[in-house]
PDB file of all heavy atoms in Angstrom:
ATOM      1  N   GLU A 615     104.345  83.140 192.973  1.00 97.00           N
ATOM      2  CA  GLU A 615     105.344  84.216 193.145  1.00 97.00           C
ATOM      3  C   GLU A 615     104.883  85.607 192.720  1.00 97.00           C
ATOM      4  O   GLU A 615     104.091  85.710 191.768  1.00 97.00           O
ATOM      5  CB  GLU A 615     106.558  83.825 192.200  1.00 97.00           C
ATOM      6  CG  GLU A 615     107.415  82.788 192.750  1.00 97.00           C
ATOM      7  CD  GLU A 615     108.764  82.685 191.957  1.00 97.00           C
ATOM      8  OE1 GLU A 615     108.813  83.020 190.761  1.00 97.00           O
ATOM      9  OE2 GLU A 615     109.775  82.213 192.464  1.00 97.00           O
ATOM     10  N   ILE A 617     104.585  89.146 190.992  1.00 98.00           N
ATOM     11  CA  ILE A 617     105.043  89.831 189.869  1.00 98.00           C
ATOM     12  C   ILE A 617     104.331  91.175 189.785  1.00 98.00           C
ATOM     13  O   ILE A 617     103.076  91.339 189.917  1.00 98.00           O
ATOM     14  CB  ILE A 617     104.755  89.065 188.506  1.00 98.00           C
ATOM     15  CG1 ILE A 617     105.236  89.808 187.243  1.00 98.00           C
ATOM     16  CG2 ILE A 617     103.312  88.622 188.442  1.00 98.00           C
ATOM     17  CD1 ILE A 617     105.213  88.892 186.064  1.00 98.00           C
ATOM     18  N   TYR A 637      96.469  86.978 182.065  1.00 98.00           N
ATOM     19  CA  TYR A 637      97.151  85.790 181.819  1.00 98.00           C
ATOM     20  C   TYR A 637      98.047  85.270 183.016  1.00 98.00           C
ATOM     21  O   TYR A 637      97.974  84.078 183.301  1.00 98.00           O
ATOM     22  CB  TYR A 637      98.125  86.157 180.642  1.00 98.00           C
ATOM     23  CG  TYR A 637      98.823  84.912 180.044  1.00 98.00           C
ATOM     24  CD1 TYR A 637      98.180  84.206 179.027  1.00 98.00           C
ATOM     25  CD2 TYR A 637     100.010  84.570 180.444  1.00 98.00           C
ATOM     26  CE1 TYR A 637      98.879  83.183 178.458  1.00 98.00           C
ATOM     27  CE2 TYR A 637     100.674  83.315 179.973  1.00 98.00           C
ATOM     28  CZ  TYR A 637     100.102  82.653 178.958  1.00 98.00           C
ATOM     29  OH  TYR A 637     100.650  81.633 178.354  1.00 98.00           O
ATOM     30  N   PHE A 638      98.710  86.199 183.596  1.00 98.00           N
ATOM     31  CA  PHE A 638      99.632  85.669 184.631  1.00 98.00           C
ATOM     32  C   PHE A 638      99.050  85.475 186.072  1.00 98.00           C
ATOM     33  O   PHE A 638      99.635  84.807 186.836  1.00 98.00           O
ATOM     34  CB  PHE A 638     100.784  86.756 184.830  1.00 98.00           C
ATOM     35  CG  PHE A 638     101.855  86.631 183.699  1.00 98.00           C
ATOM     36  CD1 PHE A 638     101.795  87.632 182.720  1.00 98.00           C
ATOM     37  CD2 PHE A 638     102.715  85.652 183.615  1.00 98.00           C
ATOM     38  CE1 PHE A 638     102.693  87.552 181.657  1.00 98.00           C
ATOM     39  CE2 PHE A 638     103.584  85.546 182.631  1.00 98.00           C
ATOM     40  CZ  PHE A 638     103.633  86.542 181.574  1.00 98.00           C
ATOM     41  N   ASN A 641      98.993  81.854 187.594  1.00 97.00           N
ATOM     42  CA  ASN A 641     100.146  81.124 188.141  1.00 97.00           C
ATOM     43  C   ASN A 641     101.003  82.090 189.003  1.00 97.00           C
ATOM     44  O   ASN A 641     101.981  81.579 189.659  1.00 97.00           O
ATOM     45  CB  ASN A 641     101.091  80.564 187.041  1.00 97.00           C
ATOM     46  CG  ASN A 641     100.344  79.493 186.281  1.00 97.00           C
ATOM     47  OD1 ASN A 641      99.873  78.500 186.876  1.00 97.00           O
ATOM     48  ND2 ASN A 641     100.229  79.648 185.023  1.00 97.00           N
ATOM     49  N   PHE A 642     100.674  83.315 189.036  1.00 98.00           N
ATOM     50  CA  PHE A 642     101.446  84.322 189.838  1.00 98.00           C
ATOM     51  C   PHE A 642     100.542  85.106 190.726  1.00 98.00           C
ATOM     52  O   PHE A 642      99.401  85.224 190.359  1.00 98.00           O
ATOM     53  CB  PHE A 642     102.310  85.268 188.875  1.00 98.00           C
ATOM     54  CG  PHE A 642     103.423  84.543 188.247  1.00 98.00           C
ATOM     55  CD1 PHE A 642     103.148  83.890 187.057  1.00 98.00           C
ATOM     56  CD2 PHE A 642     104.712  84.698 188.700  1.00 98.00           C
ATOM     57  CE1 PHE A 642     104.257  83.304 186.334  1.00 98.00           C
ATOM     58  CE2 PHE A 642     105.712  84.077 187.918  1.00 98.00           C
ATOM     59  CZ  PHE A 642     105.537  83.396 186.859  1.00 98.00           C
ATOM     60  N   HIS A 684     109.205  89.724 190.932  1.00 98.00           N
ATOM     61  CA  HIS A 684     109.645  90.105 189.636  1.00 98.00           C
ATOM     62  C   HIS A 684     108.993  91.464 189.247  1.00 98.00           C
ATOM     63  O   HIS A 684     107.790  91.719 189.575  1.00 98.00           O
ATOM     64  CB  HIS A 684     108.862  89.069 188.653  1.00 98.00           C
ATOM     65  CG  HIS A 684     109.327  87.641 188.864  1.00 98.00           C
ATOM     66  ND1 HIS A 684     110.533  87.104 188.447  1.00 98.00           N
ATOM     67  CD2 HIS A 684     108.671  86.618 189.492  1.00 98.00           C
ATOM     68  CE1 HIS A 684     110.588  85.894 188.824  1.00 98.00           C
ATOM     69  NE2 HIS A 684     109.461  85.435 189.395  1.00 98.00           N
ATOM     70  N   SER A 708     113.539  89.287 189.238  1.00 98.00           N
ATOM     71  CA  SER A 708     113.928  89.601 187.844  1.00 98.00           C
ATOM     72  C   SER A 708     113.448  90.918 187.551  1.00 98.00           C
ATOM     73  O   SER A 708     112.617  91.540 188.272  1.00 98.00           O
ATOM     74  CB  SER A 708     113.296  88.520 186.947  1.00 98.00           C
ATOM     75  OG  SER A 708     111.870  88.676 186.814  1.00 98.00           O
ATOM     76  N   SER A 710     112.017  93.183 184.098  1.00 98.00           N
ATOM     77  CA  SER A 710     111.667  93.147 182.587  1.00 98.00           C
ATOM     78  C   SER A 710     111.313  94.571 182.222  1.00 98.00           C
ATOM     79  O   SER A 710     110.390  95.269 182.886  1.00 98.00           O
ATOM     80  CB  SER A 710     110.419  92.282 182.383  1.00 98.00           C
ATOM     81  OG  SER A 710     110.718  90.968 182.696  1.00 98.00           O
ATOM     82  N   PRO A 781     118.256  88.368 186.836  1.00 97.00           N
ATOM     83  CA  PRO A 781     118.027  88.340 185.373  1.00 97.00           C
ATOM     84  C   PRO A 781     117.212  89.476 184.872  1.00 97.00           C
ATOM     85  O   PRO A 781     116.253  89.906 185.512  1.00 97.00           O
ATOM     86  CB  PRO A 781     117.298  86.959 185.274  1.00 97.00           C
ATOM     87  CG  PRO A 781     117.611  86.257 186.501  1.00 97.00           C
ATOM     88  CD  PRO A 781     117.773  87.238 187.591  1.00 97.00           C
ATOM     89  N   LEU A 783     115.193  91.165 181.384  1.00 98.00           N
ATOM     90  CA  LEU A 783     114.517  91.067 180.039  1.00 98.00           C
ATOM     91  C   LEU A 783     114.371  92.423 179.523  1.00 98.00           C
ATOM     92  O   LEU A 783     113.760  93.226 180.132  1.00 98.00           O
ATOM     93  CB  LEU A 783     113.302  90.219 180.103  1.00 98.00           C
ATOM     94  CG  LEU A 783     112.526  90.121 178.797  1.00 98.00           C
ATOM     95  CD1 LEU A 783     113.305  89.359 177.687  1.00 98.00           C
ATOM     96  CD2 LEU A 783     111.120  89.464 178.957  1.00 98.00           C
ATOM     97  N   THR A 828     103.623  88.755 175.975  1.00 98.00           N
ATOM     98  CA  THR A 828     103.359  87.875 177.030  1.00 98.00           C
ATOM     99  C   THR A 828     103.964  86.610 176.965  1.00 98.00           C
ATOM    100  O   THR A 828     104.495  86.061 177.991  1.00 98.00           O
ATOM    101  CB  THR A 828     101.856  87.821 177.131  1.00 98.00           C
ATOM    102  OG1 THR A 828     101.196  89.037 177.331  1.00 98.00           O
ATOM    103  CG2 THR A 828     101.499  86.839 178.329  1.00 98.00           C
ATOM    104  N   LYS A 829     103.973  86.027 175.734  1.00 98.00           N
ATOM    105  CA  LYS A 829     104.706  84.757 175.574  1.00 98.00           C
ATOM    106  C   LYS A 829     106.185  84.887 175.825  1.00 98.00           C
ATOM    107  O   LYS A 829     106.832  83.893 176.440  1.00 98.00           O
ATOM    108  CB  LYS A 829     104.459  84.162 174.241  1.00 98.00           C
ATOM    109  CG  LYS A 829     103.031  83.573 173.974  1.00 98.00           C
ATOM    110  CD  LYS A 829     102.782  82.378 174.838  1.00 98.00           C
ATOM    111  CE  LYS A 829     101.434  81.722 174.572  1.00 98.00           C
ATOM    112  NZ  LYS A 829     101.221  80.553 175.489  1.00 98.00           N
ATOM    113  N   ILE A 830     106.822  85.911 175.354  1.00 98.00           N
ATOM    114  CA  ILE A 830     108.177  86.179 175.654  1.00 98.00           C
ATOM    115  C   ILE A 830     108.513  86.302 177.100  1.00 98.00           C
ATOM    116  O   ILE A 830     109.549  85.757 177.631  1.00 98.00           O
ATOM    117  CB  ILE A 830     108.718  87.335 174.842  1.00 98.00           C
ATOM    118  CG1 ILE A 830     108.641  87.050 173.283  1.00 98.00           C
ATOM    119  CG2 ILE A 830     110.127  87.814 175.264  1.00 98.00           C
ATOM    120  CD1 ILE A 830     108.968  88.184 172.431  1.00 98.00           C
ATOM    121  N   LEU A 831     107.666  87.133 177.814  1.00 98.00           N
ATOM    122  CA  LEU A 831     107.814  87.286 179.176  1.00 98.00           C
ATOM    123  C   LEU A 831     107.658  85.911 179.947  1.00 98.00           C
ATOM    124  O   LEU A 831     108.394  85.646 180.834  1.00 98.00           O
ATOM    125  CB  LEU A 831     106.745  88.372 179.729  1.00 98.00           C
ATOM    126  CG  LEU A 831     106.865  88.605 181.213  1.00 98.00           C
ATOM    127  CD1 LEU A 831     108.203  89.073 181.695  1.00 98.00           C
ATOM    128  CD2 LEU A 831     105.720  89.651 181.539  1.00 98.00           C
ATOM    129  N   GLU A 832     106.678  85.226 179.573  1.00 98.00           N
ATOM    130  CA  GLU A 832     106.486  83.883 180.187  1.00 98.00           C
ATOM    131  C   GLU A 832     107.648  82.965 180.046  1.00 98.00           C
ATOM    132  O   GLU A 832     108.029  82.334 180.975  1.00 98.00           O
ATOM    133  CB  GLU A 832     105.180  83.201 179.581  1.00 98.00           C
ATOM    134  CG  GLU A 832     104.893  81.859 180.189  1.00 98.00           C
ATOM    135  CD  GLU A 832     103.643  81.273 179.576  1.00 98.00           C
ATOM    136  OE1 GLU A 832     103.518  81.334 178.269  1.00 98.00           O
ATOM    137  OE2 GLU A 832     102.867  80.614 180.243  1.00 98.00           O
ATOM    138  N   LEU A 833     108.193  82.915 178.799  1.00 97.00           N
ATOM    139  CA  LEU A 833     109.361  82.141 178.502  1.00 97.00           C
ATOM    140  C   LEU A 833     110.591  82.476 179.395  1.00 97.00           C
ATOM    141  O   LEU A 833     111.261  81.665 179.897  1.00 97.00           O
ATOM    142  CB  LEU A 833     109.720  82.195 177.052  1.00 97.00           C
ATOM    143  CG  LEU A 833     110.913  81.351 176.509  1.00 97.00           C
ATOM    144  CD1 LEU A 833     110.590  79.790 176.744  1.00 97.00           C
ATOM    145  CD2 LEU A 833     111.092  81.677 175.098  1.00 97.00           C
ATOM    146  N   PHE A 834     110.781  83.808 179.460  1.00 97.00           N
ATOM    147  CA  PHE A 834     111.782  84.350 180.262  1.00 97.00           C
ATOM    148  C   PHE A 834     111.573  83.944 181.769  1.00 97.00           C
ATOM    149  O   PHE A 834     112.568  83.431 182.389  1.00 97.00           O
ATOM    150  CB  PHE A 834     111.805  85.914 180.242  1.00 97.00           C
ATOM    151  CG  PHE A 834     112.568  86.628 181.246  1.00 97.00           C
ATOM    152  CD1 PHE A 834     114.009  86.531 181.192  1.00 97.00           C
ATOM    153  CD2 PHE A 834     112.038  87.378 182.213  1.00 97.00           C
ATOM    154  CE1 PHE A 834     114.748  87.222 182.067  1.00 97.00           C
ATOM    155  CE2 PHE A 834     112.784  88.040 183.168  1.00 97.00           C
ATOM    156  CZ  PHE A 834     114.247  87.896 183.145  1.00 97.00           C
ATOM    157  N   LEU A 835     110.387  84.048 182.299  1.00 97.00           N
ATOM    158  CA  LEU A 835     110.130  83.557 183.709  1.00 97.00           C
ATOM    159  C   LEU A 835     110.309  82.174 183.936  1.00 97.00           C
ATOM    160  O   LEU A 835     110.836  81.682 184.882  1.00 97.00           O
ATOM    161  CB  LEU A 835     108.808  84.111 184.129  1.00 97.00           C
ATOM    162  CG  LEU A 835     108.593  85.663 184.115  1.00 97.00           C
ATOM    163  CD1 LEU A 835     107.088  85.943 184.394  1.00 97.00           C
ATOM    164  CD2 LEU A 835     109.438  86.302 185.222  1.00 97.00           C
ATOM    165  N   GLN A 836     109.901  81.329 182.933  1.00 96.00           N
ATOM    166  CA  GLN A 836     109.980  79.935 183.060  1.00 96.00           C
ATOM    167  C   GLN A 836     111.497  79.530 183.128  1.00 96.00           C
ATOM    168  O   GLN A 836     111.847  78.708 183.933  1.00 96.00           O
ATOM    169  CB  GLN A 836     109.276  79.248 181.986  1.00 96.00           C
ATOM    170  CG  GLN A 836     107.812  79.310 182.069  1.00 96.00           C
ATOM    171  CD  GLN A 836     107.111  78.720 180.798  1.00 96.00           C
ATOM    172  OE1 GLN A 836     107.721  78.517 179.713  1.00 96.00           O
ATOM    173  NE2 GLN A 836     105.816  78.396 180.884  1.00 96.00           N
ATOM    174  N   ASN A 837     112.279  80.182 182.286  1.00 93.00           N
ATOM    175  CA  ASN A 837     113.687  79.729 182.297  1.00 93.00           C
ATOM    176  C   ASN A 837     114.490  80.156 183.396  1.00 93.00           C
ATOM    177  O   ASN A 837     115.373  79.433 183.892  1.00 93.00           O
ATOM    178  CB  ASN A 837     114.330  80.291 180.932  1.00 93.00           C
ATOM    179  CG  ASN A 837     113.932  79.374 179.736  1.00 93.00           C
ATOM    180  OD1 ASN A 837     114.806  78.457 179.434  1.00 93.00           O
ATOM    181  ND2 ASN A 837     112.956  79.684 179.023  1.00 93.00           N
ATOM    182  N   ILE A 838     114.193  81.301 183.989  1.00 89.00           N
ATOM    183  CA  ILE A 838     114.985  81.775 185.179  1.00 89.00           C
ATOM    184  C   ILE A 838     114.497  80.994 186.463  1.00 89.00           C
ATOM    185  O   ILE A 838     115.298  80.836 187.340  1.00 89.00           O
ATOM    186  CB  ILE A 838     114.884  83.279 185.373  1.00 89.00           C
ATOM    187  CG1 ILE A 838     113.423  83.691 185.683  1.00 89.00           C
ATOM    188  CG2 ILE A 838     115.384  84.068 184.189  1.00 89.00           C
ATOM    189  CD1 ILE A 838     113.301  85.177 186.039  1.00 89.00           C
ATOM    190  N   GLN A 839     113.316  80.483 186.398  1.00 74.00           N
ATOM    191  CA  GLN A 839     112.865  79.701 187.463  1.00 74.00           C
ATOM    192  C   GLN A 839     113.474  78.366 187.521  1.00 74.00           C
ATOM    193  O   GLN A 839     113.612  77.732 188.581  1.00 74.00           O
ATOM    194  CB  GLN A 839     111.274  79.603 187.511  1.00 74.00           C
ATOM    195  CG  GLN A 839     110.549  80.768 187.863  1.00 74.00           C
ATOM    196  CD  GLN A 839     109.053  80.766 187.600  1.00 74.00           C
ATOM    197  OE1 GLN A 839     108.643  80.064 186.758  1.00 74.00           O
ATOM    198  NE2 GLN A 839     108.270  81.426 188.460  1.00 74.00           N
ATOM    199  N   LYS A 840     114.004  77.878 186.410  1.00 65.00           N
ATOM    200  CA  LYS A 840     114.707  76.545 186.365  1.00 65.00           C
ATOM    201  C   LYS A 840     116.070  76.683 186.875  1.00 65.00           C
ATOM    202  O   LYS A 840     116.665  75.747 187.294  1.00 65.00           O
ATOM    203  CB  LYS A 840     114.705  76.062 184.895  1.00 65.00           C
ATOM    204  CG  LYS A 840     113.372  75.760 184.318  1.00 65.00           C
ATOM    205  CD  LYS A 840     113.426  75.415 182.795  1.00 65.00           C
ATOM    206  CE  LYS A 840     112.105  75.051 182.134  1.00 65.00           C
ATOM    207  NZ  LYS A 840     112.117  74.716 180.756  1.00 65.00           N
ATOM    208  N   ASP A 841     116.665  77.878 186.800  1.00 62.00           N
ATOM    209  CA  ASP A 841     118.070  78.056 187.140  1.00 62.00           C
ATOM    210  C   ASP A 841     118.226  77.919 188.675  1.00 62.00           C
ATOM    211  O   ASP A 841     117.345  78.228 189.447  1.00 62.00           O
ATOM    212  CB  ASP A 841     118.598  79.446 186.753  1.00 62.00           C
ATOM    213  CG  ASP A 841     118.566  79.550 185.250  1.00 62.00           C
ATOM    214  OD1 ASP A 841     118.675  78.521 184.537  1.00 62.00           O
ATOM    215  OD2 ASP A 841     118.555  80.773 184.659  1.00 62.00           O
TER     216      ASP A 841
END
Side-chain angles (χ1 to χ4, degrees):
E615 277 194 336
I617 180 169
Y637 190 90
F638 284 105
N641 297 302
F642 290 83
H684 299 283
S708 70
S710 298
L783 174 65
T828 300
K829 284 296 183 182
I830 291 171
L831 177 58
E832 181 182 42
L833 182 63
F834 168 70
L835 295 173
Q836 288 175 344
N837 276 273
I838 64 174
Q839 287 173 329
K840 293 176 182 178
D841 296 338

